[in-house]
Amino acid sequence: MVCRLQLQVLAGPMLGLSTKESVMKKSELKRWAKAHMVGVENTTIPSFSPDLLALDEAGIRHDVDQAVRHGFFSTLVATETGLTFEEQKALVSIVTDAAKGRISVSTSILFDNFERSVEMIEHAEKAGCQTILLGFPANWYPLTAEEVLAKTRDLCALTNMAVVIYPSPHFNFERLHPSGYPLDILGQVAEIENVVSIKAGEFALYAECFARVGDRVLINHPVERYLPNTVMSYGQQWMGAGCYEVFQSPEQPYLVEYFKLLREKKFKAAMEIYWKLAPARNIFEQQFNQTVMSGTYNWTMQKYYQWCVGGNGGFTRQPAMKMHQHEMDMTKMAFAMIGIAPRSPDAEFYQGRLNYQKASAQPKA
């Protein structure tokens, strides 16, 4: 089914709560996060009709089903992927409806202005998201750390959802602190009732966050390579969001198992998987690191990773990074080297798995 209209979905109970408990006080969210934000969170990237003019609802629902099959505890809706704002809201609604309490749902708050951020926060809560990843407009230019703190408080006050703080260097706060985030406000940010976690993608920043506020909120490093340190030394209990399908299939959930083994202090068994994943890690990082530090992601390539292990696939809209056959071949080789047979043919990926199957089933004229 192709979705051309915004869906209206009623909010459901927070994952891990009975219906009677579904209305939770903000003061209880840190406790909820400690109990339920455990494991690996992937990313749901939109699927489109073959002409890229509309969302492909069936393809999106397929990918949510896949996230459940992979064993991810949560999926983050990637709204910054070539969508109109109405489509962004529709995507969040489709994913939360498809999740149906089987998997937690988060969404990124990364828009061009604060008006859109406010509207999406309100929509995400009504749709049934459990958490949001809170960022800032790229064109916002605060002059003081106090402005960042005040805006964070204002946005968190709008919602009863759990909030993950995103101190990304891409917001250009280096004038406030060399790390890219004003670290002196971390203590006050961590005291906000519904702030439950911080996603820190740079290891020194991760260590700083842990030292300053790790006793109050969960500190999350999303990079798989660092898990032996962040889990064993710092007690990291969840990681995400990321396109972690590059490391596993639903039938061979290597990363989910490796993360679980580390949390259980089964270091030797975990490291056997770590080293098994080396070919995928090396190729993935080579492809991923070309774009991420410039402030963007190759969403089409990430859809290709997901398609190789059963996802819907399909190109994303422009502006988007391009993908070349040699990159696709390297990806398939990486999967083969870790014992996963990648899906074929590539022609299916170009249309999206479900659209390709529908087209193949049509009688020839």
Side-chain angles (χ1 to χ4, degrees):
M1 183 194 324
V2 171
C3 175
R4 298 184 185 269
L5 297 175
Q6 178 182 339
L7 299 183
Q8 299 296 324
V9 182
L10 296 176
M14 291 192 78
L15 218 65
L17 299 174
S18 68
T19 304
K20 291 181 180 179
E21 296 173 309
S22 61
V23 179
M24 182 185 289
K25 295 177 182 177
K26 283 189 178 183
S27 60
E28 298 174 315
L29 284 173
K30 286 181 170 63
R31 174 184 59 83
W32 171 84
K34 184 68 175 174
H36 296 286
M37 293 182 70
V38 180
V40 180
E41 177 183 74
N42 84 319
T43 304
T44 295
I45 305 166
S47 290
F48 295 94
S49 57
D51 58 10
L52 300 184
L53 293 180
L55 291 176
D56 177 4
E57 181 181 341
I60 295 164
R61 288 178 176 274
H62 174 84
D63 282 344
V64 175
D65 291 342
Q66 280 291 106
V68 174
R69 292 186 64 222
H70 273 275
F72 301 131
F73 87 94
S74 178
T75 189
L76 179 131
V77 185
T79 55
E80 66 274 29
T81 43
L83 307 179
T84 67
F85 189 60
E86 289 305 308
E87 287 174 328
Q88 290 172 327
K89 291 193 289 186
L91 176 63
V92 170
S93 294
I94 293 168
V95 174
T96 52
D97 184 60
K100 295 189 188 320
R102 299 176 299 156
I103 187 171
S104 182
V105 179
S106 181
T107 192
S108 50
I109 305 298
L110 297 166
F111 297 97
D112 292 331
N113 55 65
F114 284 116
E115 290 74 18
R116 288 282 170 88
S117 297
V118 169
E119 189 172 343
M120 180 56 83
I121 289 170
E122 293 171 347
H123 174 76
E125 183 162 358
K126 289 177 183 176
C129 286
Q130 283 73 44
T131 62
I132 54 173
L133 178 67
L134 184 61
F136 303 101
N139 61 352
W140 185 47
Y141 197 85
L143 298 177
T144 65
E146 288 68 29
E147 288 181 68
V148 178
L149 176 61
K151 186 60 71 173
T152 301
R153 282 174 168 160
D154 289 346
L155 293 172
C156 290
L158 295 172
T159 181
N160 291 311
M161 290 183 292
V163 176
V164 178
I165 299 297
Y166 186 35
S168 169
H170 302 315
F171 300 131
N172 190 29
F173 293 167
E174 291 170 338
R175 62 191 170 278
L176 306 178
H177 190 276
S179 70
Y181 190 84
L183 297 181
D184 287 344
I185 69 170
L186 277 178
Q188 292 159 288
V189 169
E191 291 301 320
I192 299 172
E193 284 188 315
N194 53 337
V195 169
V196 302
S197 186
I198 296 173
K199 176 182 178 180
E202 199 274 325
F203 188 75
L205 180 60
Y206 175 92
E208 276 270 19
C209 291
F210 184 88
R212 290 172 182 254
V213 297
D215 59 334
R216 284 169 277 177
V217 297
L218 304 174
I219 313 299
N220 162 39
H221 198 298
V223 180
E224 173 273 342
R225 175 180 288 277
Y226 298 109
L227 286 180
N229 193 355
T230 59
V231 177
M232 299 299 291
S233 300
Y234 293 88
Q236 180 175 336
Q237 70 174 53
W238 79 280
M239 68 176 300
C243 187
Y244 299 122
E245 291 89 342
V246 74
F247 295 114
Q248 65 172 52
S249 68
E251 297 76 23
Q252 295 159 290
Y254 295 132
L255 178 59
V256 167
E257 180 63 17
Y258 148 50
F259 188 74
K260 179 174 178 287
L261 288 169
L262 285 173
R263 287 201 25 84
E264 294 172 349
K265 309 298 183 186
K266 297 176 181 177
F267 185 74
K268 182 178 179 181
M271 292 308 293
E272 287 178 2
I273 300 176
Y274 176 91
W275 294 118
K276 180 181 181 66
L277 295 179
R281 178 181 306 113
N282 294 337
I283 290 175
F284 166 66
E285 289 181 354
Q286 178 183 339
Q287 294 174 340
F288 184 78
N289 291 344
Q290 291 180 20
T291 63
V292 66
M293 290 314 296
S294 64
T296 189
Y297 299 95
N298 191 333
W299 296 113
T300 299
M301 179 64 78
Q302 294 194 31
K303 289 281 282 183
Y304 187 72
Y305 298 152
Q306 295 176 334
W307 172 81
C308 278
V309 292
N312 186 61
F315 268 63
T316 57
R317 284 187 190 145
Q318 297 190 61
M321 304 295 295
K322 303 301 185 286
M323 188 171 61
H324 306 95
Q325 189 62 47
H326 70 273
E327 295 170 310
M328 298 161 71
D329 291 343
M330 286 176 65
T331 297
K332 288 184 286 188
M333 179 179 69
F335 278 119
M337 291 177 73
I338 63 173
I340 294 174
R343 193 169 178 83
S344 64
D346 284 339
E348 180 186 87
F349 167 76
Y350 274 69
Q351 290 188 49
R353 175 176 172 172
L354 300 189
N355 289 322
Y356 181 87
Q357 290 173 352
K358 278 190 266 185
S360 300
Q362 303 247 343
K364 303 298 181 187

